[in-house]
Amino acid sequence: MLEKLAIQEKQVLIPKEKALVLWFDEVGIDDIPLVGGKNASLGEMIQQLTSKKVSVPNGFATTAYAYRYFIESAGLEAKLREIFADLDVEDLQNLRQKGKQARALILNTPFPRDLQAAIAHAYDRTVDREGDNTDVAVRSSATAEDCTSVLQCCHKCFASTFTDRAISYRQQRGFDHFEVALSVGVQKMVRSDLASSGVMFSIDTETGFKNAALITAAYGLGENIVQGAVNPDEYLVFKPTLKQGFRPILDKRLGTKDIKMVYDLGGSKYTKNVSVAPIERAKYALNDEEILQLARWAVLIEEHYSQVRGTYTPMDIEWAKDGNTGELFIVQARPETVQSQKSATVLRNYKLQGSSAILATGRAVGEAIGQGKARVILDVHQIADFEAGEVLVTNKTDPDWEPIMKKARAIVTNSGGRTCHAEETKAKFIPV
């Protein structure tokens, strides 16, 4: 157990650029260089949308300065450069080896004591604000119930700067591995393990239709939806008449929702997947009033960011329901990056020429057509067997599959809704 760090409040004004920790309600969208896009967005919503009844859990973020301070004070850059001297991201074995070495180096290097103290103090203040039984979410996955766990999770987040996916992404786009910094968000935990959670878009993700909000929902913590491990419910709401005070739920599609992620209470509060009872699978995870409340929030968030950015900005939003209180919360929001990037003056239509025996059926995500030799890979450690131009067939994809996903002509999975983030990364990298 980490020794309790005694901190005295000092009336010293530290510039934001030199702070090790910043509270969400201290930052906004202009502070992306300091705390990254996700944390800055949380602060923006807390500051600007709380008055409009949009609920966002408070918390704090370690800063980009804190990350750089850790790397510099421990002399890690030279050691990391040595590891990456013969990096070859096209050689998956080489990529995996270099990533493992880099992460081990960071995890085996202790945080400076003043950084530990800053995180510990912020965590203690969070508990003082929210109550002794408060858990926190570190980024979007791990849960922690005490200061030691929070510090461990923050350390793992720092190490995630060098996941195989992150290394590959930067190398292929010409980014310097050492001109990025990582900000860790620590947020009051919404107990969706006792209720439900999901993803919603203020735009239809299939067609780009601007007047529809798409909401997905499943039981338990949101990681399963984000990672495509579960088939969620889907709800479609028409925004123009919603804003006029009507209840325009256009469509409801029942998902299988066969598993849910909950706390594993066997010691430390980590998580596990458990089966959902058949009677719960057969019910929608949200009632109509909850669907409409989330859709109203999607409209408010979209309108705010469109105003701030000076251009129409559809949003990609994560939400969670607290099983203890029944309250809904927004836990993340960022601009949508697929349909909003397409040209509004170009319409592409794909038509299959010819036919053959149908091997499998399912639901398409998107309208394109792909072809290639099918390659069945059920274990991410076998992705080195994949060849460019093949069709990837697997149970589900997550960020670990990124090195081969862009080489695939098409991807077929057993699970995942159309709003899952196969491209999601747990680390937010901030260019200098």
Side-chain angles (χ1 to χ4, degrees), residues 21-63:
V21 166
L22 289 170
W23 292 92
F24 289 155
D25 55 16
E26 294 180 313
V27 299
I29 203 65
D30 293 333
D31 294 311
I32 290 176
L34 305 184
V35 294
K38 293 179 181 179
N39 294 328
S41 182
L42 288 169
E44 180 76 11
M45 290 188 292
I46 288 171
Q47 289 196 49
Q48 304 299 328
L49 296 178
T50 299
S51 62
K52 296 183 178 181
K53 309 301 182 184
V54 177
S55 299
V56 181
N58 208 343
F60 63 91
T62 66
T63 62

Side-chain angles (χ1 to χ4, degrees), residues 240-277:
T241 47
L242 176 72
K243 290 189 283 187
Q244 294 171 6
F246 295 97
R247 301 169 62 86
I249 301 175
L250 301 178
D251 187 38
K252 296 166 69 173
R253 183 187 295 266
L254 189 69
T256 56
K257 307 184 299 295
D258 54 339
I259 60 172
K260 64 178 178 179
M261 185 176 288
V262 299
Y263 278 5
D264 185 356
L265 299 178
S268 297
K269 287 185 179 176
Y270 294 106
T271 59
K272 64 179 179 181
N273 278 316
V274 298
S275 295
V276 174

Side-chain angles (χ1 to χ4, degrees), residues 203-209 314 336-344 366:
I203 190 174
D204 183 73
T205 57
E206 290 290 305
T207 64
F209 183 51
E336 191 271 347
T337 57
V338 179
Q339 290 293 345
S340 60
Q341 303 300 316
K342 292 183 178 179
S343 172

Side-chain angles (χ1 to χ4, degrees), residues 346-379:
V346 176
L347 177 63
R348 289 187 173 90
N349 187 34
Y350 298 86
K351 186 175 182 180
L352 183 63
Q353 303 290 337
S355 62
S356 63
I358 297 176
L359 301 181
T361 60
R363 192 170 180 207
V365 177
E367 299 177 344
I369 297 174
Q371 64 176 10
K373 179 182 177 181
R375 174 76 66 173
V376 179
I377 301 179
L378 301 180
D379 187 337

Side-chain angles (χ1 to χ4, degrees), residues 38-102:
K38 293 179 181 179
N39 294 328
S41 182
L42 288 169
E44 180 76 11
M45 290 188 292
I46 288 171
Q47 289 196 49
Q48 304 299 328
L49 296 178
T50 299
S51 62
K52 296 183 178 181
K53 309 301 182 184
V54 177
S55 299
V56 181
N58 208 343
F60 63 91
T62 66
T63 62
Y65 173 78
Y67 174 83
R68 294 190 177 101
Y69 171 59
F70 166 61
I71 296 295
E72 292 170 6
S73 65
L76 293 179
E77 181 173 338
K79 298 175 182 178
L80 289 166
R81 287 190 181 278
E82 183 177 349
I83 289 173
F84 292 138
D86 58 347
L87 172 67
D88 181 1
V89 297
E90 298 300 325
D91 181 341
L92 295 181
Q93 295 296 338
N94 176 276
L95 172 62
R96 188 173 292 130
Q97 177 188 17
K98 300 300 180 183
K100 184 176 181 180
Q101 290 175 340

Side-chain angles (χ1 to χ4, degrees), residues 36 39 45 51 73 79 97 117 122 126-127 160 170 179 188 211 224 237 290 292 307 326-327 369 394 398 413-414 418:
N39 294 328
M45 290 188 292
S51 62
S73 65
K79 298 175 182 178
Q97 177 188 17
T126 300
V127 173
S160 73
R170 291 192 297 267
E179 290 186 358
K188 178 188 175 183
N211 286 333
N224 280 339
V237 179
E290 291 168 335
L292 294 168
Q307 181 180 10
E327 296 176 275
I369 297 174
T394 188
D398 60 35
T413 64
N414 277 331
R418 56 185 172 129

